[in-house]
Amino acid sequence: MISSVYIHIPFCEKICAYCDFCKMFYNEKIVDKYLDELENEVNSLYRGELIKTIYIGGGTPSSLNIKQLERLFEITDKFKRNNFCEFTIECNFSNTTEEKLKLFKEKGINRLSFGLETTSNMQLDFLEREENLENTKETIRLAKKLGFDNINVDLMYALPGEEISDLNKDLEFINSLDIEHVSCYSLIIEEHTKLGINNIENIDSDLDYKMYQTICGFMKDNGFNHYEISNYSKEGYESRHNLVYWNNEEYYGFGLGASAYINNRRVSNTRSISHYLKGSYLLEEEILEKDDLVYYEIMLNLRKSSGIDLEKLYLLYKVRLEYNELVNKGLLVLDNNNLYIPEDKWYISNEIIIRLLEGIVYE
Ligand code: SF4
């Protein structure tokens, strides 16, 4: 039974130089048309299930004006949900006004996710991000005053020229915001982005690793639980929506470039706005065979500190894993029926998962 919904709002006021997401410049008329088509897509696919998590991501959902946000919430009101539904919206500090925050509160949003990325004005210029650092503290203060008590901030590290001391400044700043959740991603330079076209190179992998360790240590010392490779939360504030992905559970995905996982199919929507506005949503779908289902179950669950439930894996797919060698080498830990990658080995999790996938035994 599907109980989660992702909605993509691809509009941004400025395009960041590293951005590989499905996004386009904000244009008032196109946004209005987009919201009409989004409603059509929801009407055509949603089957009335009780929804436990909704995530409005982007792009920059907070770039929409008040009228457009009200229209967006008319669409999300179509989802049957109870008081426990986790309802997240992604925001940028530069365009999240008090009026918008009040509207979010009124419409049932109970989790805010802000893109901060860095506190260095020089790095913000390099990344070509539209941000106003002066707004950051004030926006968080306002959000808390309005009753938001589940706030995430995204941090990006491994920026060219960044040093450990710069990272520490970012971490101290984020900690001073007294928020519940932090997502930390290293900058990956993709070829077709502006940084890639300009031949900007990723930082040295040793420094990248040291930065990852610095973040792990800082977060632990400041009361955050490292519950997923890139995510840290205070006790009880794990992102329930993102856990749906990592638990390999099904979800709807609406909007330009959105992905969904429904009835053993992984579906991707078109990234072409002209196709989408004509009602042609689908780009491709992958029908999952047993091998694929097992692969996703292992690969996604091992991103979490709790790892994979081997009994569930066996009951679902009648497969066992040969993990003894990896456990003996300290690359995996077996705790009752759960197999997980220890935190100090998450940095090489891809290699560990590939080796584990080589040892699948089908009955
Ligand atoms: S705000 Fe986010 S989605 Fe928009 S261009 Fe920047 S990174 Fe991409």
Side-chain angles (χ1 to χ4, degrees):
M1 175 72 87
I2 303 176
S3 58
S4 289
V5 170
Y6 174 79
I7 294 179
H8 195 73
I9 301 296
F11 305 100
C12 297
E13 285 166 348
K14 192 172 176 190
I15 301 298
C16 307
Y18 60 92
C19 183
D20 186 35
F21 301 125
C22 175
K23 81 290 175 184
M24 55 188 291
F25 278 111
Y26 176 90
N27 172 297
E28 193 172 349
K29 283 197 179 125
I30 293 181
V31 175
D32 289 342
K33 285 187 194 158
Y34 182 79
L35 293 171
D36 288 343
E37 206 47 60
L38 185 67
E39 180 167 34
N40 290 339
E41 192 193 5
V42 170
N43 287 341
S44 69
L45 290 172
Y46 174 56
R47 294 284 167 263
E49 300 91 339
L50 181 67
I51 298 301
K52 296 180 185 160
T53 71
I54 304 175
Y55 192 105
I56 304 175
T60 315
S62 58
S63 66
L64 271 52
N65 65 35
I66 286 286
K67 225 171 123 211
Q68 290 165 337
L69 287 168
E70 281 170 344
R71 174 92 182 90
L72 174 62
F73 291 124
E74 276 172 27
I75 300 169
T76 55
D77 277 347
K78 291 175 183 290
F79 301 114
K80 222 188 278 170
R81 58 183 208 258
N82 58 24
N83 292 340
F84 304 106
C85 179
E86 180 189 88
F87 193 1
T88 306
I89 191 162
E90 284 183 356
C91 305
N92 274 10
F93 288 108
S94 60
N95 50 29
T96 304
T97 59
E98 182 167 3
E99 194 183 9
K100 289 180 188 176
L101 285 170
K102 282 183 176 160
L103 179 69
F104 296 162
K105 193 73 196 158
E106 184 192 317
K107 298 297 178 183
I109 295 281
N110 49 28
R111 186 170 184 274
L112 300 171
S113 180
F114 288 97
L116 172 70
E117 317 309 347
T118 169
T119 62
S120 153
N121 280 316
M122 200 184 77
Q123 292 287 14
L124 283 173
D125 284 348
F126 168 74
L127 297 173
E128 299 184 26
R129 267 190 75 80
E130 167 99 338
E131 275 305 351
N132 179 350
L133 288 174
E134 282 153 28
N135 271 355
T136 307
K137 282 204 165 183
E138 179 54 18
T139 308
I140 296 282
R141 191 195 63 77
L142 209 54
K144 286 186 185 178
K145 198 175 134 208
L146 291 170
F148 289 101
D149 58 3
N150 190 354
I151 300 176
N152 170 65
V153 167
D154 288 343
L155 170 71
M156 188 174 273
Y157 66 98
L159 307 175
E162 186 181 13
E163 295 184 6
I164 298 279
S165 56
D166 302 316
L167 175 62
N168 276 323
K169 268 188 220 153
D170 286 357
L171 290 167
E172 291 290 353
F173 180 80
I174 284 183
N175 198 38
S176 75
L177 298 174
D178 193 20
I179 49 170
E180 291 73 26
H181 194 284
V182 182
S183 297
C184 299
Y185 296 94
S186 70
L187 173 67
I188 308 284
I189 298 171
E190 303 288 353
E191 263 177 41
H192 54 276
T193 61
K194 193 165 176 187
L195 294 186
I197 292 164
N198 289 340
N199 294 321
I200 304 291
E201 290 184 1
N202 287 307
I203 66 162
D204 170 74
S205 60
D206 288 345
L207 180 56
D208 190 307
Y209 178 51
K210 271 190 204 140
M211 288 189 170
Y212 183 72
Q213 284 181 312
T214 303
I215 295 168
C216 293
F218 183 93
M219 289 298 172
K220 198 175 195 171
D221 291 347
N222 287 283
F224 286 88
N225 172 25
H226 192 180
Y227 72 102
E228 193 269 347
I229 293 179
S230 308
N231 285 277
Y232 305 79
S233 80
K234 298 272 171 70
E235 186 76 38
Y237 288 94
E238 296 83 5
S239 161
R240 282 169 43 210
H241 183 85
N242 287 338
L243 279 169
V244 166
Y245 302 145
W246 303 318
N247 287 332
N248 196 25
E249 293 165 14
E250 296 193 326
Y251 54 92
Y252 283 114
F254 299 109
L256 195 72
S259 304
Y261 177 31
I262 303 173
N263 295 332
N264 289 346
R265 289 175 310 135
R266 291 206 172 256
V267 180
S268 305
N269 272 2
T270 179
R271 281 184 163 220
S272 155
I273 188 73
S274 57
H275 287 182
Y276 189 83
L277 292 181
K278 283 183 202 140
S280 178
Y281 314 126
L282 189 69
L283 174 66
E284 58 188 7
E285 68 175 350
E286 180 193 7
I287 299 172
L288 303 181
E289 305 294 339
K290 185 173 170 179
D291 284 2
D292 305 315
L293 294 168
V294 170
Y295 164 80
Y296 281 115
E297 185 74 20
I298 295 170
M299 193 259 296
L300 292 168
N301 275 282
L302 282 175
R303 293 185 61 93
K304 301 174 299 172
S305 59
S306 56
I308 183 161
D309 179 339
L310 296 176
E311 192 178 336
K312 183 177 156 217
L313 182 72
Y314 180 76
L315 290 173
L316 283 174
Y317 306 111
K318 295 280 174 288
V319 295
R320 295 183 196 282
L321 300 176
E322 289 189 342
Y323 48 74
N324 285 341
E325 195 189 329
L326 292 168
V327 169
N328 290 338
K329 286 185 173 159
L331 297 172
L332 285 170
V333 176
L334 182 65
D335 181 9
N336 290 319
N337 267 320
N338 271 50
L339 189 66
Y340 64 86
I341 301 175
E343 187 190 27
D344 65 336
K345 300 292 183 304
W346 270 354
Y347 198 73
I348 51 164
S349 61
N350 286 345
E351 289 88 331
I352 297 172
I353 291 169
I354 289 167
R355 284 177 63 186
L356 188 64
L357 289 170
E358 287 165 359
I360 295 177
V361 182
Y362 289 89
E363 272 193 8

